């Protein structure tokens, strides 16, 4: 099984990083094939005679990892409850909890792979890593930060970034989507627990009969019969949502991390077979749940965590290709998705998470240091900026008080009419992005996106100029990557990006000569 180009680049990036750092984190969006990429690295480790451990924290992830290794022809054993134990195997697929109880009875690994590595700071994960100080560590995560936005630089020494979600969609490696949302529910009276909402208090708010029934009504109207996962607040909330779907004649079931292993396997098998249409849960399917046929994410748990939100919506972005179609080129993959049973995914947001965190394919730049304090919320600026005159207006304003232009509805301000979900159009997103002040951008890539949305003739150069005024610099590679993104979206010739890079180098040389 050959790797895709971006997966090969990821393997090479991790290999280079491991020559300098003993603990490296590989970031790639949900559905990009992190386990497959890691399996190719494991093949190389096996060829060197290394002892390998692959760490998971859920039974479903153990099963999926084992299946991937089998497809690759990699023999392996298990250190996980309910699986045959063979610690003599060169490659061990492990459950974190089981390994934590048997550390002194396991062979010392040369390398440890940790799935969903944003958990690596937790007690047992960290205990395992520190018990094997000589082992190289390769973490895998779609969202490389703690759920509260803090970074992972106290565990990992280097971050290898993967491709952007939008690029994967445009290349036919992920499904595109349609999204419906409305104004976030009023959570002003809901108390907090740490960086997020208190589950018990949040469940009381979200289990309102209207909100639960509203989710069923919209599913029946927008995507009836499609397999869906509803992300709920707690067990009682998930059961209430399940009962509402069942009462409407939709086959549904609830499943939780505490459910007996055999029950989980039975329900998931029925869901995969199509005998169950809607699964309701709390956190069980937020990570590592690999079922491409799931087409609908029903968001019913408001969260301040960008990572949790992206893990949830990522569950439905895996593509389903029509049988018999070649998949060698971008055009063939997109055609196979369009002809398949899931031409696009659906996101039904009853929690206001799209307004808080943006769209799944928004440009995001990850760093081991996490997000700066005050940027944990990824919604738009507090004031509404007019795209025509750039005047600052109070939120909720419908007509600019400076130039009288009527505001276009944006995903950060969805009008709520009796709980009605409104579909979000991509042009609305572009208008919203264009109106954002450049000074509020948190990265060079975000600046490029803003200037592209504004129609700037040279977004990469304009973004660099602003980024420099903030005391920041970019590399030539970052500039070229930005130019390539501009060229692709605007249909410029292949050599345009390199031409712009040469102009930049010439300009910089002249500036240095004059200094």
């Amino acid at each position: 099984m050959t790797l895709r180009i971006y997966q090969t680049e990821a393997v090479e990036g991790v290999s280079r990083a491991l020559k300098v750092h003993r603990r490296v984190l590989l970031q790639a969006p949900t559905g990009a094939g992190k386990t497959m990429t890691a399996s190719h690295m494991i093949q190389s480790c096996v060829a060197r005679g290394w002892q390998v451990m692959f760490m998971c924290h859920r039974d479903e992830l153990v099963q999926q990892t084992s299946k991937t290794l089998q497809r690759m022809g990699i023999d392996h054993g298990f250190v996980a409850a309910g699986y045959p134990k063979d610690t003599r195997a060169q490659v061990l697929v492990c459950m974190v909890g089981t390994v934590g109880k048997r550390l002194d009875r396991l062979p010392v690994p040369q390398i440890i792979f940790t799935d969903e590595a944003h958990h690596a700071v937790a007690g047992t994960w960290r205990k395992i890593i520190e018990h094997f100080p000589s082992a190289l560590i390769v973490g895998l995560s779609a969202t490389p930060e703690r759920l509260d936005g803090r970074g992972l630089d106290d565990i990992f020494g280097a971050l290898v970034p993967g491709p952007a979600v939008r690029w994967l969609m445009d290349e036919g490696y992920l499904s595109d989507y349609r999204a419906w949302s409305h104004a976030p529910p009023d959570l002003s009276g809901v108390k907090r627990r740490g960086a997020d909402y208190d589950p018990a208090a949040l469940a009381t708010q979200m289990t309102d009969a209207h909100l639960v029934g509203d989710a069923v009504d919209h599913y029946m109207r927008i995507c009836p019969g499609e397999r869906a996962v509803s992300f709920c607040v707690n067990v009682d909330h998930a059961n209430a949502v399940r009962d509402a779907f069942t009462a409407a004649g939709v086959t549904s079931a609830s499943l939780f991390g505490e459910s007996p292993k055999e029950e989980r396997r039975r329900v998931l098998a029925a869901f995969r077979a199509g005998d169950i249409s809607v699964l309701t849960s709390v956190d069980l399917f937020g990570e590592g749940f690999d079922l491409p046929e799931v087409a609908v994410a029903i968001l019913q748990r408001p969260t301040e965590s960008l990572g949790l939100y992206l893990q949830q919506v990522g569950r439905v972005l895996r593509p389903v290709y029509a049988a018999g179609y070649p998949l060698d080129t971008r055009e063939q993959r997109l055609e196979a998705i369009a002809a398949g049973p899931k031409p696009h995914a659906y996101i039904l947001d009853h929690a206001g998470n799209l307004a808080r965190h943006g769209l799944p394919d928004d440009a995001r730049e990850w760093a081991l240091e996490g997000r700066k304090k005050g940027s944990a919320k990824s919604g738009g600026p507090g004031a509404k900026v007019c795209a025509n005159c750039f005047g600052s207006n109070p939120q909720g304003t419908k007509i600019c008080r400076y130039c009288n232009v009527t505001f276009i509805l944006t995903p950060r301000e969805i009008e709520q009419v009796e709980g009605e979900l409104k579909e979000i159009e991509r042009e609305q997103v572009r208008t919203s992005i264009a109106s954002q002040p450049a000074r509020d951008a948190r990265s060079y890539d975000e600046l490029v996106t803003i200037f592209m949305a504004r129609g700037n003739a040279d977004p990469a150069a304009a973004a660099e100029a602003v980024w420099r005024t903030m005391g920041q610099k970019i590399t030539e590679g970052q500039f070229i990557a930005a130019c390539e993104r501009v060229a692709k979206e605007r249909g410029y010739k292949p050599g345009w990006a390199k031409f712009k890079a040469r102009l930049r180098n010439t300009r910089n040389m002249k500036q240095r000569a004059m200094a």
Side-chain angles (χ1 to χ4, degrees):
M1 299 180 67
T2 57
L3 291 179
R4 298 165 179 171
I5 293 176
Y6 67 86
Q7 292 172 330
T8 299
E9 291 175 348
V11 171
E12 294 171 349
V14 170
S15 297
R16 287 194 299 269
L18 285 174
K19 293 178 181 178
V20 181
H21 304 275
R22 298 195 63 79
R23 299 175 180 178
V24 175
L25 182 59
L26 171 62
Q27 182 276 332
T30 298
K34 290 184 288 296
T35 306
M36 177 62 69
T37 304
S39 296
H40 276 261
M41 289 188 252
I42 290 173
Q43 271 189 330
S44 298
C45 294
V46 170
R48 296 182 182 184
W50 287 9
Q51 181 71 42
V52 179
M53 293 177 66
F54 193 105
M55 305 297 304
C56 308
H57 71 298
R58 288 209 175 106
D59 177 65
E60 289 77 18
L61 300 179
V62 172
Q63 292 184 58
Q64 289 168 193
T65 302
S66 177
K67 289 178 181 178
T68 300
L69 293 175
Q70 287 176 0
R71 291 200 301 270
M72 295 283 294
I74 300 174
D75 293 331
H76 57 282
F78 298 91
V79 182
Y83 291 85
K85 298 175 181 62
D86 182 9
T87 57
R88 295 171 298 176
Q90 189 177 352
V91 178
L92 296 175
V93 180
C94 308
M95 188 84 80
V96 172
T98 307
V99 171
K101 300 173 184 176
R102 303 178 182 177
L103 286 173
D104 295 328
R105 289 174 279 171
L106 297 176
V108 177
Q110 273 78 38
I111 189 166
I112 300 174
F113 292 84
T114 63
D115 201 11
E116 306 298 346
H118 44 277
H119 293 297
V121 294
T124 306
W125 291 81
R126 194 159 197 153
K127 175 183 175 183
I128 294 169
I129 290 174
E130 292 177 351
H131 185 81
F132 299 113
S134 63
L136 299 175
I137 308 293
V138 177
L140 311 171
S141 178
T143 54
E145 63 182 29
R146 294 168 171 89
L147 293 183
D148 60 5
R150 291 185 297 145
L152 300 173
D153 51 339
D154 55 339
I155 293 290
F156 297 98
L159 173 67
V160 178
V165 172
R166 185 69 252 166
W167 183 86
L168 290 169
M169 290 177 176
D170 291 342
E171 292 295 317
Y173 293 121
L174 288 181
S175 288
D176 214 323
Y177 63 92
R178 296 173 64 186
W180 286 258
S181 187
H182 56 55
D186 182 10
L187 304 176
S188 56
V190 177
K191 62 182 181 180
R192 301 295 187 99
R193 179 185 292 181
D196 212 342
Y197 298 105
D198 177 76
L202 187 59
T204 301
Q205 183 82 356
M206 297 302 295
T207 312
D208 177 89
H210 173 72
L211 287 174
V212 171
D214 196 47
V216 177
D217 294 341
H218 282 90
Y219 169 83
M220 297 295 288
R221 186 148 42 86
I222 295 172
C223 48
E226 297 284 357
R227 267 173 283 190
V229 173
S230 171
F231 298 95
C232 302
V233 178
N234 63 11
V235 171
D236 290 340
H237 183 212
N239 287 337
V241 174
R242 175 203 63 199
D243 293 344
F245 273 103
T246 301
V250 180
T251 54
S252 57
S254 295
L255 212 54
F256 312 101
E258 302 77 20
S259 303
K261 186 181 297 185
E262 289 307 314
E263 179 186 354
R264 282 162 58 176
R265 292 180 178 179
R266 177 185 59 79
V267 172
L268 286 176
F271 189 53
R272 290 177 188 276
D275 298 330
I276 295 174
S277 295
V278 177
L279 276 181
T280 69
S281 188
V282 183
D283 291 324
L284 184 60
F285 303 120
E287 297 169 342
F289 178 59
D290 184 5
L291 182 60
E293 291 80 5
V294 178
V296 189
I298 305 175
L299 308 183
Q300 295 184 267
R301 174 185 176 176
T303 180
E304 294 289 337
S305 170
L306 172 65
L308 179 59
Y309 157 70
L310 291 177
Q311 291 280 351
Q312 291 177 350
V313 296
R315 296 307 116 198
V316 299
L317 299 181
R318 297 179 186 273
V320 179
Y321 301 112
Y325 280 72
L327 305 174
D328 300 321
T329 67
R330 169 182 180 272
E331 290 72 19
Q332 290 171 342
R333 291 188 293 271
L334 292 174
E335 185 178 356
I337 292 175
K342 177 184 163 183
H344 57 259
Y346 301 84
I347 299 173
L348 309 185
D349 178 25
H350 298 269
N353 288 333
L354 285 165
R356 288 185 191 89
H357 301 298
L359 296 174
D361 54 330
D362 281 351
R364 293 181 174 89
E365 187 171 298
W366 300 98
L368 284 178
E369 296 78 15
R371 281 173 281 123
K372 296 178 182 178
K373 186 176 181 181
S375 67
K377 291 183 180 180
S378 50
K384 178 187 289 186
V385 181
C386 176
N388 181 57
C389 72
F390 299 97
S392 180
N393 295 264
Q395 283 292 342
T397 304
K398 299 190 183 319
I399 298 176
C400 178
R401 60 185 180 182
Y402 299 99
C403 66
N404 295 321
V405 166
T406 301
F407 283 108
I408 297 175
L409 197 66
T410 75
R412 304 197 188 282
E413 186 206 5
I414 303 298
E415 186 177 357
Q416 185 174 10
V417 183
E418 297 181 356
E420 182 72 13
L421 294 186
K422 299 289 186 179
E423 184 168 7
I424 296 172
E425 298 292 343
R426 195 164 298 281
E427 191 56 39
Q428 296 171 351
V429 178
R430 181 180 294 277
T431 302
S432 177
I433 292 173
S435 69
Q436 295 181 22
R439 63 181 178 275
D440 288 347
R442 297 188 297 271
S443 70
Y444 172 66
D445 285 342
E446 285 190 21
L447 276 170
V448 174
T449 300
I450 290 172
F451 282 110
M452 286 174 65
R454 292 179 182 177
N456 189 283
D458 195 351
E464 182 178 14
V466 173
W467 198 233
R468 282 180 174 174
T469 66
M470 299 180 183
Q472 305 290 336
K473 295 181 180 179
I474 65 167
T475 65
E476 182 178 9
Q478 286 177 293
F479 184 82
I480 292 175
C483 289
E484 288 175 343
R485 184 152 66 97
V486 174
K488 182 175 181 179
E489 179 165 316
R490 296 181 175 178
Y492 295 160
K493 293 182 179 180
W496 185 83
K498 292 184 179 179
F499 169 71
K500 285 293 182 182
R502 288 196 297 272
L503 285 181
R504 175 179 180 267
N505 289 336
T506 301
R507 184 170 58 248
N508 290 343
M509 289 175 61
K510 289 181 178 179
Q511 290 175 349
R512 286 194 292 268
M514 294 173 61

